Amino acid sequence: MNEYERRATTEALFRDVNERIAESAERFDAIGTEFVCECADASCTHKVPATLAEYEEVRDDPTTFLIVPGHEQHDIERVVSDRGRFRVIEKCQEVVRRTVIRLNPRPAPSES
Ligand SMILES: [Zn+2]
């Protein structure tokens, strides 16, 4: 596994954690909850407050992630939206993009 794949895998793991968080928030009819930061730093323990609607928007695209402002890593991703409490980043590095699409927990029918 190269450096890019390693970082992409870290982000995909945080994304999996957030999928579970979103599921339980939905079960309790919560409007919003605290997600984990989906940045490439495996030791990051920051929390990101967001609504389920905001979260769904990010999850709609397998290459976008939810992070704490400032946690973006410019060599692999770019900020597509700044919501104040959090930023939405899109993977632009090719290996990283491919890896996060492969690990997408919600694969589109055309991708599988
Ligand atoms: Zn982070």
Side-chain angles (χ1 to χ4, degrees):
M1 195 184 285
N2 72 24
E3 180 60 20
Y4 287 128
E5 285 170 313
R6 194 184 59 73
R7 285 154 79 189
T9 303
T10 298
E11 294 172 309
L13 279 173
F14 284 134
R15 176 172 60 187
D16 286 343
V17 171
N18 279 342
E19 286 287 271
R20 301 291 87 76
I21 292 174
E23 274 171 23
S24 56
E26 263 166 49
R27 208 169 303 138
F28 291 105
D29 283 331
I31 292 167
T33 186
E34 285 206 316
F35 293 97
V36 297
C37 175
E38 298 175 343
C39 74
D41 177 358
S43 65
C44 179
T45 55
H46 283 75
K47 292 280 168 29
V48 185
T51 67
L52 288 175
E54 287 170 327
Y55 177 73
E56 284 304 316
E57 231 177 275
V58 176
R59 239 8 20 113
D60 243 15
D61 183 334
T63 64
T64 59
F65 288 74
L66 188 80
I67 60 152
V68 170
H71 285 205
E72 59 271 15
Q73 300 190 352
H74 296 284
D75 58 331
I76 57 170
E77 58 214 8
R78 65 187 181 90
V79 176
V80 288
S81 161
D82 190 339
R83 308 286 175 87
R85 286 167 289 123
F86 64 87
R87 283 179 184 162
V88 181
I89 49 162
E90 181 191 20
K91 307 294 152 195
C92 41
Q93 203 283 333
E94 201 38 53
V95 174
V96 173
R97 276 185 76 90
R98 256 188 281 127
T99 306
V100 297
I101 290 170
R102 181 167 53 79
L103 298 173
N104 182 17
R106 303 178 184 186
S110 57
E111 284 165 10
S112 55

